[in-house]
Amino acid sequence: MRVTLSLTRAQHAQLSDHLLAGDGRESVALALCGRAAGSEIHRLLVHEIIEIPHEACPTRTEDRVTWPTSFLLPLLRKAAKRGMAIMKIHSHPGGYPRFSPIDDKSDEALFPSIHAACDGGAPHASAIMLPDGRIIARAHHEDGSPSPINCIGVIGDDLTFWHADDVAEEVPEFARRHAQAFGEGTFRRLRRLSVAVVGCSGTGSVVVDQLARLGVGRLVLVDPDTVEEKNLNRILNTVRQDIGRPKVAVLKDFIHCLGLETEVEAIERDLSEPVALRAVASCDIVFGCMDGVEGRQLLNRLATFYIQPYFDVGVRLDADGQGGIDQICGSVHYLHPGGSSLITRDAITDEQIRAAGLRRTNPDDYRDQVERGYIRGIDEDRPAVNGVNMFFSSLLMMDFLARLHPYRLDPNEEYASQTISLTIGSWLKRVDGDPDPVLARYVGRGDATPPLDQPYLDQGQGA
């Protein structure tokens, strides 16, 4: 089982300020971590940080810190009650890039007690922060054995991933020109990343195609629909013989035929179903390529719970059906946990969410309220042009690459959203707004009952 660790850029900064105090002595902190507990990948997600005051530590030297375990008790109670994990993290101000014999002895004494108190059998973690901010970590299992944490991700305006097995390897021929542009290190990170794409139609199929050709290691594709004849004008890599087949199955077959060794998991379900939620929660990064406001809001919430960067694309084409075009525009949103949301940015509204929910749960009442003018109806069959989809999907992909390997002259924080009108030739970028106060308390919460703290998602755990 692979174990990974994710935290936000703000959490990383908080830990850095405390652990690297500038006095050359070790410091220590504790973290309560949510979990994304899968059979093959177990993700630990920083939810709450407790800084152990320097003055409370009996010993602080350049290679040793001791601390009162009384600071651990409140976190243990929360972890035991909520099925969460405990992480101990301390600094190595001298830059020693591995666990020392002193660290080994300390962890051997600490983690059996944590496992006994939590009684869940799932791993906890110990970590070290180095002077340059890099984190190394290991998981501690119930049987007493440690194992390296395979990937540590810091999610903010920029994306940082440290991999335990990040060793130099020969770049395959198909990726040489990518590596020339973005470096071999970026290619190696892409090769180790797990990425979910939710929505595999017009924009989603373009995103899937580009991710596969970049050499992303694992793709999780989520879409409940099958290919129809009307989709052939915009779903990349589909042909007439695919009509009636699941969209995710068609794209999975294409990726396998491409032969670039990307692993693919195809989920022919709606995002709200348990098997889809679990699969997306297992990923490092999520792309949302959906028109529906309910799905977009749900994915924004899921990415907050599971500390995932969320890339969202939306396209609007207003036409009269007779060849007249009023507007062609689209937006790319980047959302990171603890920041603003699609709702606080007014990208989606409460009215739209209510209408979509009513349409799903009570179609007759929905039609009645639309006819009576109480709610605005949802456009179910909007115009679609492949070139428009490809333009905005490519913009989304370049935003992803910019955050993984910054190439823009301006900092990434200035590109929280980008809106382009092809009709009037305008390009508007915006910085992030205030944090969403509703979502902020769920950062790193991870697995919960009901899922995402939404009762309507509590459909059991079956596949």
Side-chain angles (χ1 to χ4, degrees):
M1 179 176 64
R2 296 178 67 247
V3 182
T4 68
L5 171 67
S6 296
L7 63 160
T8 68
R9 185 70 60 181
Q11 291 169 338
H12 182 273
Q14 179 185 352
L15 288 169
S16 180
D17 288 345
H18 175 67
L19 297 176
L20 302 172
D23 58 5
R25 294 185 288 176
E26 290 192 4
S27 303
V28 64
L30 300 169
L32 180 68
C33 299
R35 302 182 186 275
S39 58
E40 298 182 7
I41 301 173
H42 193 107
R43 301 183 63 226
L44 299 177
L45 317 152
V46 175
H47 177 64
E48 178 183 349
I49 295 171
I50 301 295
E51 302 173 8
I52 299 181
H54 299 148
E55 61 272 16
C57 298
T59 305
R60 284 187 67 233
T61 68
E62 68 280 358
D63 61 0
R64 183 182 180 89
V65 61
T66 60
W67 50 280
T69 56
S70 57
F71 285 93
L72 182 61
L73 297 179
L75 292 187
L76 279 176
R77 286 192 287 268
K78 293 179 182 178
K81 181 179 179 180
R82 304 176 188 174
M84 299 176 79
I86 300 292
M87 179 177 72
K88 182 198 78 173
I89 179 167
H90 71 287
S91 56
H92 277 184
Y96 186 67
R98 58 185 61 89
F99 288 88
S100 70
I102 295 175
D103 299 333
D104 294 341
K105 185 175 180 180
S106 172
D107 287 354
E108 287 170 4
L110 176 66
F111 283 96
S113 299
I114 291 177
H115 276 286
C118 294
D119 192 29
H124 299 272
S126 177
I128 297 167
M129 178 173 278
L130 301 175
D132 62 358
R134 182 178 178 182
I135 296 173
I136 58 176
R138 61 188 179 189
H140 287 271
H141 303 277
E142 190 176 30
D143 64 3
S145 64
S147 66
I149 286 185
N150 301 90
C151 176
I152 300 171
V154 181
I155 310 304
D157 293 309
D158 301 331
L159 300 177
T160 301
F161 294 95
W162 297 299
H163 296 272
D165 61 347
D166 191 14
V167 296
E169 60 183 274
E170 184 176 355
V171 176
E173 183 62 31
F174 84 88
R176 287 191 185 280
R177 295 193 180 187
H178 294 156
Q180 288 173 1
F182 294 99
E184 293 185 11
T186 297
F187 172 74
R188 290 199 300 272
R189 284 191 289 274
L190 287 166
R191 208 60 169 159
R192 290 164 174 79
L193 288 177
S194 179
V195 180
V197 181
V198 184
C200 294
S201 196
T203 55
S205 66
V206 182
V207 169
V208 169
D209 183 278
Q210 294 194 42
L211 288 169
R213 295 181 192 275
L214 281 171
V216 165
R218 175 175 176 259
L219 284 171
V220 172
L221 311 181
V222 178
D223 195 304
D225 297 329
T226 58
V227 176
E228 301 178 59
E229 183 174 0
K230 67 180 181 180
N231 300 139
L232 297 180
N233 76 328
R234 61 187 182 275
I235 299 183
L236 257 60
N237 304 303
T238 56
V239 296
R240 182 167 292 277
Q241 287 80 359
D242 292 322
I243 292 174
R245 295 186 63 207
K247 294 176 182 178
V248 293
V250 173
L251 295 182
K252 179 178 180 178
D253 287 349
F254 157 72
I255 295 168
H256 283 166
C257 289
L258 195 58
L260 302 184
E261 300 182 2
T262 295
E263 297 179 14
V264 185
E265 183 176 359
I267 310 292
E268 189 193 351
R269 301 292 181 89
D270 187 85
L271 177 62
S272 63
E273 297 186 52
V275 65
L277 287 173
R278 289 197 302 272
V280 174
S282 74
C283 294
D284 304 305
I285 296 170
V286 295
F287 286 82
C289 304
M290 300 171 283
D291 293 328
V293 294
E294 273 195 312
R296 295 172 73 193
Q297 182 204 28
L298 180 60
L299 193 53
N300 200 165
R301 190 177 185 90
L302 185 150
T304 300
F305 267 68
Y306 292 97
I307 307 190
Q308 297 161 307
Y310 169 27
F311 295 86
D312 175 271
V313 61
V315 174
R316 178 177 176 182
L317 200 162
D318 293 334
D320 61 12
Q322 306 298 319
I325 295 175
D326 296 324
Q327 178 68 273
I328 299 176
C329 63
S331 294
V332 165
H333 287 270
Y334 173 71
L335 302 114
H336 58 85
S340 64
S341 69
L342 290 173
I343 289 179
T344 61
R345 293 183 186 183
D346 294 323
I348 59 179
T349 67
D350 290 332
E351 179 186 2
Q352 291 173 324
I353 294 169
R354 186 174 78 86
L358 186 62
R359 178 171 172 261
R360 172 175 50 82
T361 59
N362 194 333
D364 292 337
D365 194 19
Y366 165 78
R367 286 190 291 270
D368 179 64
Q369 291 202 34
V370 170
E371 291 172 0
R372 296 167 64 186
Y374 290 123
I375 61 175
R376 183 178 301 174
I378 298 169
D379 191 349
E380 300 179 34
D381 196 19
R382 295 184 294 181
V385 175
N386 194 35
V388 176
N389 292 335
M390 295 182 75
F391 180 91
F392 287 101
S393 298
S394 296
L395 179 65
L396 183 77
M397 190 59 51
M398 293 310 298
D399 188 55
F400 163 58
L401 289 171
R403 297 180 189 282
L404 196 65
H405 183 99
Y407 64 81
R408 294 188 275 227
L409 295 179
D410 298 323
N412 281 326
E413 64 189 33
E414 296 186 12
Y415 290 83
S417 68
Q418 301 173 73
T419 299
I420 296 178
S421 170
L422 299 178
T423 309
I424 64 175
S426 68
W427 187 330
L428 177 65
K429 61 185 176 73
R430 293 188 176 91
V431 299
D432 201 10
D434 294 332
D436 184 321
V438 175
L439 291 182
R441 64 193 180 103
Y442 291 117
V443 172
R445 176 60 183 89
D447 295 343
T449 303
L452 307 185
D453 200 24
Q454 298 289 287
Y456 81 95
L457 296 174
D458 195 7
Q459 306 171 30
Q461 297 303 310

